[in-house]
Structures are given as C-alpha cells and as structure tokens.
C-alpha cells in the first residue's frame, strides 16, 4: 500500500468553502476491458493466426439502415438496365421537404459514390442513403407494389408519425 505522502494530491473545493483531498479520476474505456475479456475467453482450439489486438468495436456487425425487398430489388435492376440508368452504380434514397405532411422520399440514379453516404447492398443492388435522410429512414422497409391503379415503390417507415391521405408525404 502506498503511503499518503507518495500519492498525487488534488485539491478541490466543496460548496461549503472547505478544501478536501481527493485522488485524480482515471479514464474509463468500456471497449478495452471487453476486448481484453474476449481475448482471455478464447479456447485452445482457436485459430492461432488471428491477432490478439483486434478491437471489440471491429467485431460488431453494422446493421442495415433500411430493408429492401426482393420485388423492390428486381424493379431497381430493371431501372438500372434501362438506357437512363446504364452508367449508374445504384440508386440514391433521400428525403425532401414537400407535400402536405412535411417530407417526401426521393429516388435518383447514383452515378458516383459520395464519401458521407451509407450504402445498403441487398439482392445484388446498391442503395445509397443521403446523410440528411438517414435519421428519417432508419428501419424503413422499401418495397415495390403493382396494383390495378398504380405501380410504385412503397416505404413502411416505423419512424413516421403521420402521413397524408394520398401517401406521398410523411412526418417524423
């Protein structure tokens, strides 16, 4: 045990004006202890070539911000194979302020990759999500419906607090 004189001292003031002695606060990193615990938990049959310095964060799998159904992916493939979309990498999903309820979805051809966009790869297509739209579309299911009256992409958004009667706009 260290003696009191060898410990670093920090003076702090309380709200009564007294000075008290306290120890400095050490930093806490929850990921370093979890990574160390994961390294300690490995068994003898594990792969010896894997580095022990891998971090806990890198082992976490990133969840997709949207879900694209097979019907939507098939329609996107059709659009990308058309003359207008032949040079496109995928489609870009965004939201725009318009409509009677505040926000509306936008779909455009993505001719290039933007560094700040999220990419969702599903059913061999790529959907780029604009950064301003990410908050509004997390958890959304993108589908394609064909009815007697229309054929359109539909979005089932768990974040939506309300939609207009025609379904063109929503609010979060």
């Amino acid at each position: 045990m260290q003696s009191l004189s060898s410990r670093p001292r920090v003076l702090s003031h309380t709200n009564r004006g007294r000075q008290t002695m306290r120890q400095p606060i050490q930093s806490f990193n929850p990921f370093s202890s979890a990574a160390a615990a994961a390294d300690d938990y490995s068994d003898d049959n594990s792969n010896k070539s894997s580095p022990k310095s891998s971090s806990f964060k890198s082992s976490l799998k990133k969840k997709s911000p949207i879900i694209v159904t097979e019907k939507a992916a098939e329609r996107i493939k059709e659009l990308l194979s058309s003359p207008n979309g032949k040079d496109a990498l995928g489609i870009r999903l965004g939201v725009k302020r318009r409509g009677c309820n505040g926000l509306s979805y936008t779909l455009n051809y993505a001719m290039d990759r933007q560094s700040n966009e999220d990419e969702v790869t599903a059913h061999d297509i790529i959907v780029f999500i604009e950064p301003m739209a990410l908050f509004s579309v997390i958890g959304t299911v993108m589908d394609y419906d064909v009815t007697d009256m229309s054929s359109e992409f539909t979005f089932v958004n768990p974040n939506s607090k309300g939609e207009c009667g025609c379904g063109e706009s929503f609010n979060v």
Side-chain angles (χ1 to χ4, degrees), residues 90-103:
I91 61 163
R92 182 166 285 120
L93 173 65
V95 294
K96 194 175 203 179
R97 290 198 170 279
R98 70 172 174 215
C100 50
N101 223 352
L103 297 171

Side-chain angles (χ1 to χ4, degrees), residues 71-137:
K71 289 192 298 184
E74 287 173 15
R75 179 61 181 152
I76 292 169
K77 285 177 190 175
E78 289 175 19
L79 292 171
L80 292 175
S81 65
S82 71
N84 288 338
K86 67 177 181 170
D87 295 331
L89 301 172
I91 61 163
R92 182 166 285 120
L93 173 65
V95 294
K96 194 175 203 179
R97 290 198 170 279
R98 70 172 174 215
C100 50
N101 223 352
L103 297 171
S104 180
Y105 298 103
T106 62
L107 289 173
N108 296 305
Y109 292 111
M111 299 301 183
D112 58 348
R113 282 184 161 80
Q114 303 290 329
S115 62
N116 54 356
E117 290 181 327
D118 276 12
E119 288 183 29
V120 175
T121 304
H123 309 287
D124 299 326
I125 55 113
I126 301 174
V127 178
F128 298 95
I129 303 173
E130 294 177 354
M132 297 300 288
L134 186 61
F135 174 75
S136 303
V137 300

Side-chain angles (χ1 to χ4, degrees), residues 9-171:
R9 296 179 190 192
V10 177
L11 289 176
S12 66
H13 295 279
T14 63
N15 49 356
R16 291 187 183 158
R18 270 189 327 218
Q19 288 187 347
T20 58
M21 301 290 277
R22 65 177 173 84
Q23 297 295 321
I25 298 173
Q26 296 180 355
S27 65
F28 174 71
N29 184 353
F31 296 112
S32 64
S33 60
D39 287 342
D40 293 342
Y41 192 72
S42 64
D43 58 352
D44 294 333
N45 296 331
S46 65
N47 186 1
K48 299 294 182 188
S49 65
S50 65
K52 291 262 183 184
S53 63
S54 65
S55 70
F56 180 72
K57 283 171 127 179
S58 66
S59 66
L60 294 176
K61 204 172 187 184
K62 186 176 176 183
K63 193 171 181 179
S64 178
I66 66 168
I67 298 167
V68 181
T69 64
E70 264 187 72
K71 289 192 298 184
E74 287 173 15
R75 179 61 181 152
I76 292 169
K77 285 177 190 175
E78 289 175 19
L79 292 171
L80 292 175
S81 65
S82 71
N84 288 338
K86 67 177 181 170
D87 295 331
L89 301 172
I91 61 163
R92 182 166 285 120
L93 173 65
V95 294
K96 194 175 203 179
R97 290 198 170 279
R98 70 172 174 215
C100 50
N101 223 352
L103 297 171
S104 180
Y105 298 103
T106 62
L107 289 173
N108 296 305
Y109 292 111
M111 299 301 183
D112 58 348
R113 282 184 161 80
Q114 303 290 329
S115 62
N116 54 356
E117 290 181 327
D118 276 12
E119 288 183 29
V120 175
T121 304
H123 309 287
D124 299 326
I125 55 113
I126 301 174
V127 178
F128 298 95
I129 303 173
E130 294 177 354
M132 297 300 288
L134 186 61
F135 174 75
S136 303
V137 300
I138 286 186
T140 299
V141 177
M142 180 181 179
D143 197 7
Y144 184 72
D145 287 335
V146 178
T147 63
D148 292 335
M149 299 294 285
S150 68
S151 58
E152 61 187 356
F153 285 101
T154 58
F155 299 90
V156 179
N157 190 340
N159 304 314
S160 176
K161 302 295 183 218
E163 296 177 354
C164 67
C166 63
E168 288 291 322
S169 63
F170 68 100
N171 65 19

